[in-house]
Amino acid sequence: MGLLERFFKPSWGVHPDDHKRPAADVPLRTLPLPERLYVPLQQHVGGPARPVVLAGQKVLKGQLLAEAQGNISAPVHAPTSGRVLAIGEVTAPHPSGLAQLAITLASDGDERWLEREPVADPFALAPEEIARLTAAAGVVGLGGATFPAAVKFNLGRRLKVSTLIVNGGECEPYLSSDDAVMRVRAAEVVDGLRIVMHAIGAANALVGIEDNKPEAIAAMRAAAAPFGDVAIRPVPARYPMGSDKQLIQVLTGKEVPADARAAEVGVLVHNVSTCAAVHRALRRGEALVERIVTVNGGAVRAPGNLLAPIGARVADLLAFAGLAAEPARLILGGPMMGTLLPHANVPLVKGASGVLAFDAREAARPAAGPCIRCGSCTVACPMGLLPLEMASRIRAGDLAGATGFGLSDCISCGCCAWVCPSHIPLVQYFSHARGELAAGERARLRNEATRRLVEQRGERLARDAREKAAAAAKRKAERDAAKAKAAAATESAAASSAAVSAKAVSP
Amino acid sequence: MLIAILSLTLLGAVLGLGLGLAARRFHVEGDPLVAQIEALMPGSNCGQCGFPGCPGAASAIAAGSAPVTACPPGGRALAKALAEKLGIAIDLGQVADAGPRIAAVAEEICIGCCRCIKVCPTDAIVGAAKQIHNVMREACTGCGNCVERCPTEAVTLQPVPVTLQHWVWPRPQLAGA
């Protein structure tokens, strides 16, 4: 199979127009510092961070704003120096348009850094120490999954991972932020990935880059030339090549089993931008407070890549790049898997690789028709699932049936919906079903917790009653004892008085 | 003396064995449906259905003497699950349900009387005499016992707010429908 795949292109996936140029070729620009920054407390998978600053407090750039809470969590840091205005709710970059907690920062324009503590030689540090410093810098997976990087390091070390796979696939159309990172910061990426190799104990690294990014491949080859254990591997441009399971399969020939993690087949995947962030966290002692983000789409006048602080509003980015038309649709991330935004007043988060403003033509969505069972989706599905069967079951409300067809293996890549000639929003069906299943699971756990609470209350009431009875019995015993004592005392007093009187009488 | 002991021991052993065998032989299965229904129910034994706790309601629902919509805290979701389990069709429009609700204490009216604490089936209310009480959201089942007990109407049932963690993508509308 490995041999076949070397000679033939993978059969899965789709090949949409990539729309990456001309944005990818525009030199990197820096977003002028916005007056206000809105730093959400949860920009990662896991528990939200807990604020450690107060409203009104002055902070420096890179200062801890909120600390990690729980095993899987990440801290957030001040993206610039200034004053904390408020800790409150702002609209989350989420299709629901619901609010999330965020720290609002008024920048003072000085960009004064907190005292940084760079590590001169990260390779002299213990792997645990690298994981600790990475976690403290708030580094999360920047490819979009936003899983805390340090947690993954520890997992890789525990499962004895031999190969680090560095994901430079960036298969989503329109996006070129990873491309920009590899072109501009190739040396940082390579140093960062070598630090990651040290942290997880990997012997070699494979950097997979889609062959539609020749400049990035050349820059990375030049940067990796001195290191024999780092191989740059161009891979065919095909969506979703940047998905970890697909990239692993193409680069190593190993298939990650369903319900297993990549680390269980001896590899660990990190994004190129994450590796660059690890480099900055250690070599410069800088927390993750900014990222390179692609601003693209038909409604943008000057598309390109911007270096922007975390917490800048999407509206700030769009205003800087200029709008040629009123955007018909706003997306954070890529067009295939990105997050639909309710409006532009949402903050930029760590996992946001792009901001897309589509014009009416790009956003046009043909009305969905009935499924004609053509099977195109089954060919396109990179996980080998049957999207049409899953969707028909979900439509009928049969979530268990959809799970039986492998709903949990779906990576929500959107290939099926992209090829569907009836334009059925298949991914929305799957997202809906997953949400409902998760809600059902939460309800079940809640039921169990309720039962436990009721039992514990029963036990508590029984214990209270027992203790009350014991206390009453004790009091009664004491009373009885006191009574008996008193009785004995009066008796002895009577006896002695009788004796006295007897004595008095006797003479 | 010895004969009496022996005969009584023998008698006891034989009768005991007989009883044990009979219990095995003539064992009556409890209705498994009741247990399954009980597992679906909130389990807080709040008594709003009018039955003695969730086991009582479960057996009544299994026997068909109570409707699947009998449990107010379970609401529409539970009614649907029960109807599926029993294979019957119900009109969910009939169920008065404003989604899941939990109790909340209006702090400016609470006088700290502790009455609600005593009737809470899950110990979800914290507080002490003459101290403002509060509801632990994770533990509240929304049974409403406390609402009736509060002398100042400080406890009310509020809809559970939808958060980012609980939000679910809506199901796509059917094509052409």
Side-chain angles (χ1 to χ4, degrees):
Chain A
M1 191 180 111
L3 195 70
L4 275 178
E5 255 165 331
R6 243 167 247 176
F7 288 101
F8 295 101
K9 279 192 170 175
S11 62
W12 47 257
V14 294
H15 199 128
D17 284 344
D18 70 7
H19 294 281
K20 288 179 190 283
R21 288 160 210 270
D25 295 328
V26 176
L28 183 66
R29 289 170 290 173
T30 305
L31 181 78
L33 188 65
E35 270 176 34
R36 296 217 172 142
L37 294 164
Y38 305 84
V39 187
L41 295 180
Q42 180 155 31
Q43 306 183 37
H44 49 264
V45 176
R50 200 169 63 88
V52 294
V53 290
L54 297 172
Q57 189 177 334
K58 292 241 181 220
V59 292
L60 296 175
K61 187 171 180 177
Q63 186 174 335
L64 185 69
L65 291 182
E67 63 187 8
Q69 200 176 204
N71 281 338
I72 298 179
S73 184
V76 294
H77 300 80
T80 184
S81 58
R83 201 162 56 83
V84 177
L85 281 185
I87 302 174
E89 293 193 323
V90 301
T91 308
H94 192 266
S96 66
L98 289 169
Q100 85 179 121
L101 281 178
I103 296 178
T104 307
L105 210 63
S107 58
D108 58 13
D110 293 345
E111 293 267 44
R112 261 187 311 125
W113 270 93
L114 189 76
E115 189 71 42
R116 280 167 279 188
E117 289 164 7
V119 177
D121 183 11
F123 299 100
L125 291 180
E128 294 83 10
E129 186 63 8
I130 293 180
R132 193 187 66 76
L133 289 172
T134 308
V139 178
V140 299
L142 296 181
T146 64
F147 193 81
V151 179
K152 226 158 136 182
F153 290 1
N154 293 333
L155 177 80
R157 206 169 56 244
R158 211 172 53 240
L159 294 176
K160 309 228 175 335
V161 162
S162 58
T163 305
L164 170 70
I165 289 192
V166 181
N167 189 346
E170 195 163 56
C171 53
E172 281 255 17
Y174 288 93
L175 300 187
S176 52
S177 62
D178 286 347
D179 188 7
V181 168
M182 287 187 282
R183 288 194 206 188
V184 181
R185 298 178 173 173
E188 291 183 19
V189 173
V190 171
D191 184 62
L193 76 89
R194 290 184 64 243
I195 296 172
V196 176
M197 279 167 72
H198 176 59
I200 64 175
N204 64 324
L206 301 174
V207 186
I209 307 173
E210 276 195 351
D211 56 13
N212 58 0
K213 297 185 251 303
E215 299 88 349
I217 294 172
M220 288 293 288
R221 279 213 167 115
F227 310 108
D229 47 1
V230 179
I232 309 295
R233 290 274 191 87
V235 292
R238 189 160 186 86
Y239 182 85
M241 189 59 82
S243 159
D244 56 352
K245 291 186 177 174
Q246 276 61 42
L247 192 64
I248 290 169
Q249 199 168 0
V250 168
L251 286 178
T252 67
K254 290 178 190 164
E255 187 167 352
V256 182
D259 301 329
R261 282 169 297 201
E264 285 164 45
V265 295
V267 297
L268 202 68
V269 183
H270 274 288
N271 183 271
V272 284
S273 300
T274 316
C275 292
V278 169
H279 162 91
R280 295 205 158 202
L282 282 119
R283 296 272 190 191
R284 301 194 188 182
E286 287 181 7
L288 179 60
V289 294
E290 60 184 20
R291 68 159 296 147
I292 293 177
V293 52
T294 307
V295 181
N296 206 345
V300 179
R301 189 177 295 129
N305 284 296
L306 302 181
L307 180 64
I310 302 296
R313 288 179 315 146
V314 165
D316 296 330
L317 279 97
L318 290 177
F320 178 70
L323 281 176
E326 187 59 29
R329 190 184 302 161
L330 286 172
I331 301 170
L332 199 70
M336 301 290 276
M337 292 185 71
T339 309
L340 209 58
L341 294 180
H343 50 72
N345 275 327
V346 299
L348 184 75
V349 288
K350 291 174 183 175
S353 43
V355 169
L356 305 182
F358 280 178
D359 59 21
R361 193 182 53 78
E362 286 169 312
R365 207 177 339 191
C371 175
I372 56 170
R373 300 187 66 80
C374 64
S376 308
C377 50
T378 63
V379 178
C381 180
M383 302 306 290
L385 304 176
L386 301 174
L388 77 167
E389 295 292 347
M390 295 200 293
S392 67
R393 270 154 189 78
I394 295 165
R395 195 161 48 229
D398 177 14
L399 299 186
T403 312
F405 273 97
L407 179 65
S408 56
D409 289 322
C410 168
I411 56 170
S412 304
C413 65
C415 289
C416 50
W418 194 81
V419 296
C420 181
S422 291
H423 309 291
I424 300 172
L426 290 156
V427 182
Q428 193 182 339
Y429 276 109
F430 307 148
S431 305
H432 161 76
R434 284 180 161 172
E436 288 293 338
L437 286 172
E441 178 64 14
R442 271 198 304 276
R444 196 183 62 74
L445 289 176
R446 202 183 157 86
N447 237 346
E448 271 173 22
T450 304
R451 193 149 306 151
R452 224 171 22 248
L453 283 169
V454 171
E455 275 166 23
Q456 282 167 355
R457 176 179 151 90
E459 277 167 28
R460 177 175 70 77
L461 290 178
R463 196 177 60 233
D464 280 358
R466 247 192 344 266
E467 279 169 8
K468 235 178 223 167
K474 197 176 160 205
R475 270 202 310 278
K476 187 162 182 292
E478 274 170 10
R479 227 172 23 241
D480 287 351
K483 240 185 225 160
K485 212 171 168 190
T490 47
E491 228 169 66
S492 64
S496 61
S497 64
V500 169
S501 58
K503 235 182 215 168
V505 172
S506 61
Chain B
M1 172 71 179
L2 196 68
I3 291 171
I5 290 175
L6 276 178
S7 60
L8 278 176
T9 313
L10 197 71
L11 206 62
V14 168
L15 288 176
L17 204 68
L19 277 175
L21 283 175
R24 286 273 172 93
R25 178 73 182 76
F26 303 111
H27 177 61
V28 181
E29 281 284 340
D31 192 351
L33 195 59
V34 175
Q36 285 168 16
I37 290 178
E38 207 191 316
L40 290 173
M41 308 208 50
S44 55
N45 300 329
C46 68
Q48 283 186 78
C49 51
F51 292 98
C54 294
S59 43
I61 289 171
S65 57
V68 289
T69 52
C71 176
R76 211 168 283 183
L78 179 67
K80 192 162 159 246
L82 287 176
E84 262 171 33
K85 174 119 274 177
L86 297 172
I88 54 173
I90 52 157
D91 180 12
L92 284 174
Q94 301 270 311
V95 188
D97 182 11
R101 284 145 75 90
I102 55 170
V105 176
E107 292 174 358
E108 62 278 13
I109 321 180
C110 176
I111 53 169
C113 68
C114 290
R115 283 184 212 180
C116 53
I117 297 179
K118 291 192 186 116
V119 294
C120 179
T122 52
D123 277 344
I125 306 179
V126 289
K130 305 221 169 141
Q131 305 289 322
I132 291 171
H133 299 349
N134 217 326
V135 180
M136 317 241 287
R137 284 181 161 200
E138 293 77 19
C140 178
T141 59
C143 71
N145 284 356
C146 46
V147 176
E148 289 155 26
R149 290 291 297 171
C150 182
T152 60
E153 295 186 355
V155 190
T156 47
L157 285 185
Q158 303 286 346
V160 179
V162 180
T163 63
L164 284 181
Q165 284 76 33
H166 298 149
W167 185 79
V168 174
W169 266 102
R171 184 160 53 173
Q173 293 299 308
L174 277 183

